[in-house]
C-alpha cells in the first residue's frame, strides 16, 4: 500500500490535493424558496446551509478531501 503522507522528507503543505478534480466540480446556488445556499457536486454529493461561510467551507473541504476519499476506495 502506497501512503504518500507517511514520507518523512515532505512537508504537509506539499501534500495538499489539487483544488479541482474532474470528478468533483462543486456548483453553488442560492435557493430563494428554501432561503439556503445549495451546493451540488458532480459526484452526486449535495449540501445546503443558511450560512454563506459554512457553504464556502464545505466547498473548499469537499474539493480537497473528496479526491483523497476516492483514492482510499481504490
Amino acid at each position: 500500500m502506497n501512503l504518500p503522507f507517511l514520507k518523512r522528507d515532505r512537508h504537509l503543505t506539499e501534500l495538499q490535493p489539487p483544488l479541482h478534480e474532474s470528478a468533483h466540480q462543486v456548483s453553488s446556488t442560492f435557493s430563494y424558496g428554501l432561503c439556503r445556499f445549495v451546493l451540488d457536486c458532480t459526484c452526486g454529493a449535495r449540501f445546503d446551509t443558511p450560512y454563506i461561510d459554512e457553504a464556502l467551507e464545505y466547498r473548499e473541504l469537499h474539493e480537497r478531501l473528496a479526491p483523497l476519499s476516492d483514492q482510499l476506495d481504490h
Side-chain angles (χ1 to χ4, degrees):
M1 181 193 268
N2 183 12
L3 300 174
F5 53 85
L6 291 179
K7 293 182 181 178
R8 305 265 181 216
D9 60 338
R10 299 180 81 186
H11 296 286
L12 289 177
T13 55
E14 296 174 7
L15 297 175
Q16 293 178 351
L19 282 175
H20 299 288
E21 291 285 331
S22 59
H24 298 282
Q25 301 269 336
V26 179
S27 63
S28 56
T29 58
F30 184 79
S31 172
Y32 289 100
L34 298 173
C35 291
R36 297 174 79 82
F37 296 95
V38 179
L39 293 98
D40 291 310
C41 182
T42 54
C43 72
R46 184 177 176 94
F47 180 76
D48 64 87
T49 179
Y51 307 107
I52 187 142
D53 57 338
E54 190 175 307
L56 293 171
E57 184 177 343
Y58 173 82
R59 180 186 189 113
E60 181 181 350
L61 285 173
H62 187 76
E63 286 178 342
R64 289 184 180 265
L65 296 178
L68 291 175
S69 175
D70 293 344
Q71 289 177 4
L72 290 174
D73 289 339
H74 291 103

